């Protein structure tokens, strides 16, 4: 049947095809979304459990992830300011806490997330795809220049946070070590846990008590970063000259032409090229894992450096580079919200977030993150960088590690910045934690 007849006809199967093509929840056609929901709840009701195998989890995480994301997108006002990423992460967390999400779904999702470490596959594909899509000169300049707004932002953020805390009646010691530092510690695994171990050793606290105080602040800082990322995205749409839409530095005309050619090549690559892009990302992550065992550098950071070397050395062909870029686009559009749902269910304790919702904590956290981001914005502008994109990286300095980077960059619609975000959270967080604990240990001796 001709295309125009297909659009006008409501007879089977053309009406059904139109329904699948024109109505979607996220990337899922509405009929398939409804069928997926029926299958999930039928399995739970009939058998009383849900398998944690990858096939079932793909359907489950996609169903709930895109549903929560769609709710966020449709919220008035905040829907355009990062609410989709917030809802995809925190609605599942609340549903788990209040017992609304069936226990078999919670257990299966948690087991799948922790057993497979699916987040690392997501991050490595995003990082490698982002780096392979960058011009070499821009890549080098971006890594060299991004440290200035990061460092300046952290200094100003720390000073503002401690000052606001003092005004509100908190001691500088308590404000810095239990509010400001956790925000910039680099998340949970690389930030909150090392901090709790250090506090237990130096201050004589129980590690569980220290982690209980630090963890909710990390999460609230990440939530504030997500909101700031969404606001920056709206600011970029209102003032296009302030943003590179995922680039830190203006690209030359020659680079723009090269990127356009690459984009056209993306649409004609075959399945084997796509597969080679996935394998390239996985191999580079394994290099990062080995580097972590030898040097202690976090695996995602080691992988990032390995990817930069591969890009600068032109060690893979343009066709494989195109495959990496398509892999990046696939994970960005199709995997982000399912990943955020799994994060919300498995590692985001709602009760700890609610416990930290005091007026004083909120004021200190918001002032710290906003001053951090604002400083990054203006310093980047002075250095000739796109200020909004650099400020998004500053948002990631307050994020919840790798999961926070995903949520913040999703809210900002700038997933291309993932390599720089990893530098900000992992290296920046590790430096902050190490130096602060060293100072604390010497101060109390």
């Amino acid at each position: 049947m001709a295309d125009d007849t297909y659009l006008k006809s409501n007879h089977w199967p053309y009406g059904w095809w139109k329904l699948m093509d024109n109505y979607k929840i996220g990337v899922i056609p509405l009929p398939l979304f409804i069928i997926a929901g029926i299958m999930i709840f039928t399995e739970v009701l009939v058998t009383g459990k849900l398998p944690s195998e990858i096939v079932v989890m793909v359907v489950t995480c996609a169903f709930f992830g895109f549903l929560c994301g769609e709710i966020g997108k449709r919220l008035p006002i905040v829907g355009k300011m990062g609410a989709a990423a917030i809802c995809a992460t925190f609605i599942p967390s609340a549903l788990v806490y209040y017992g609304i999400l069936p226990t078999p779904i919670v257990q299966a999702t948690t087991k799948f997330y922790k057993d497979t470490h699916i987040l690392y596959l997501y991050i490595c594909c995003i990082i490698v795809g982002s780096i392979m899509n960058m011009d070499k000169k821009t890549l080098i300049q971006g890594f060299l220049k991004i440290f200035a707004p990061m460092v300046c932002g952290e200094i100003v953020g720390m000073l503002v946070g401690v000052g606001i805390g003092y005004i509100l009646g908190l001691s500088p010691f308590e404000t810095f070590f239990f509010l400001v530092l956790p925000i910039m510690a680099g998340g949970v695994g690389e930030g909150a846990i090392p901090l709790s171990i250090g506090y237990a050793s130096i201050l004589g606290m129980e590690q569980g008590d220290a982690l209980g105080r630090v963890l909710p602040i990390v999460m609230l800082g990440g939530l504030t970063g997500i909101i700031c990322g969404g606001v920056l995205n709206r600011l970029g749409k209102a003032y296009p000259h302030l943003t590179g839409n995922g680039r830190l530095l203006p690209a030359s005309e020659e680079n723009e032409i090269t990127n356009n050619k690459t984009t056209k090549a993306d649409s004609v690559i075959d399945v084997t090229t796509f597969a080679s892009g996935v394998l390239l990302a996985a191999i580079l992550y394994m290099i990062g894992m080995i580097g972590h065992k030898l040097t202690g550098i976090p695996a995602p950071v080691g992988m990032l450096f390995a990817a930069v070397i591969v890009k600068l050395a032109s060690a893979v062909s343009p066709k494989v580079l195109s495959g990496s870029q398509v892999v990046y686009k696939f994970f960005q559009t199709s995997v982000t919200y399912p990943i955020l749902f799994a994060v919300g269910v498995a590692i985001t304790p709602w009760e700890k977030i609610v416990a930290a919702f005091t007026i004083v904590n909120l004021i200190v956290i918001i002032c710290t993150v906003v001053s951090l981001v604002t400083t990054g914005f203006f310093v980047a502008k002075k250095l000739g960088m796109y200020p909004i994109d650099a400020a998004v990286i500053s948002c990631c300095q307050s994020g919840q590690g790798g999961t926070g980077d995903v949520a913040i960059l999703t809210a900002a619609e700038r997933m291309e910045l993932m390599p720089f975000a990893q530098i900000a959270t992992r290296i920046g967080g590790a430096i902050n934690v190490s130096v602060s604990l060293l100072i604390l240990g010497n101060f109390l001796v």
Side-chain angles (χ1 to χ4, degrees), residues 57-306:
M57 285 297 100
V58 165
V59 176
T60 302
C61 292
F63 175 82
F64 288 104
F66 285 115
L67 174 61
C68 293
E70 196 72 22
I71 292 172
K73 288 179 182 178
R74 295 181 180 276
L75 292 176
I77 303 176
V78 295
K80 299 182 181 298
M81 299 170 61
I86 294 172
C87 289
T89 306
F90 292 101
I91 286 179
S93 176
L95 293 178
V96 171
Y97 178 73
Y98 293 111
I100 299 174
L101 195 64
T103 300
I105 295 176
V106 175
Q107 292 174 340
T109 303
T110 302
K111 186 176 188 303
F112 169 75
Y113 179 83
K114 293 185 175 180
D115 288 352
T116 62
H117 297 287
I118 188 69
L119 177 66
Y120 292 115
L121 174 64
Y122 176 89
I123 289 177
C124 75
C125 289
I126 290 291
I127 288 178
V128 173
S130 300
I131 289 176
M132 297 308 161
N133 196 35
M134 290 183 191
D135 168 70
K136 293 180 182 179
K137 183 178 179 181
T138 304
L139 179 63
I140 296 172
Q141 290 179 340
F143 276 112
L144 292 176
K145 284 191 171 185
I146 194 58
F147 285 99
M150 281 173 52
V151 173
C152 293
E154 286 193 348
I155 293 173
V156 173
M158 289 176 179
L159 292 174
V160 170
V162 172
I164 294 296
Y166 182 75
I167 293 172
L168 295 175
L170 300 176
S171 70
F173 179 89
E174 180 181 356
T175 304
F176 179 79
F177 286 103
F178 288 97
L179 288 178
V180 174
L181 181 58
I183 294 172
M184 304 180 191
V188 178
E190 294 85 0
I193 293 176
L195 271 182
S196 67
I197 294 172
Y199 290 168
S201 174
I202 298 171
L203 302 177
M205 303 175 63
E206 291 290 335
Q207 185 189 348
D209 294 338
L211 185 61
R213 290 187 62 181
V214 168
L215 185 59
I217 305 304
V218 172
M219 294 182 176
L220 283 182
L223 175 60
T224 308
I226 296 170
I227 296 171
C228 288
V231 172
L232 287 168
N233 184 41
R234 296 302 301 168
L235 187 63
K237 294 182 185 303
Y239 303 97
H241 65 285
L242 296 176
T243 179
N245 292 310
R247 292 177 306 174
L248 288 176
L249 297 165
S252 66
E253 183 177 348
E254 180 181 351
N255 292 337
E256 290 285 359
I257 293 173
T258 301
N259 289 337
N260 289 338
K261 288 181 178 178
T262 302
T263 301
K264 291 179 180 178
D266 288 346
S267 61
V268 298
I269 68 167
D270 55 27
V271 175
T272 58
T273 306
F274 178 88
S276 67
V278 175
L279 186 60
L280 173 63
I283 289 173
L284 290 173
Y285 185 76
M286 290 187 69
I287 293 174
M289 289 174 60
I290 295 173
H292 172 67
K293 294 177 182 178
L294 296 176
T295 66
I297 297 175
V301 176
M303 177 201 63
L304 189 156
F305 289 143

Side-chain angles (χ1 to χ4, degrees), residues 37 260 299 359 372 375:
N260 289 338
I359 297 298
L372 165 68
T375 303

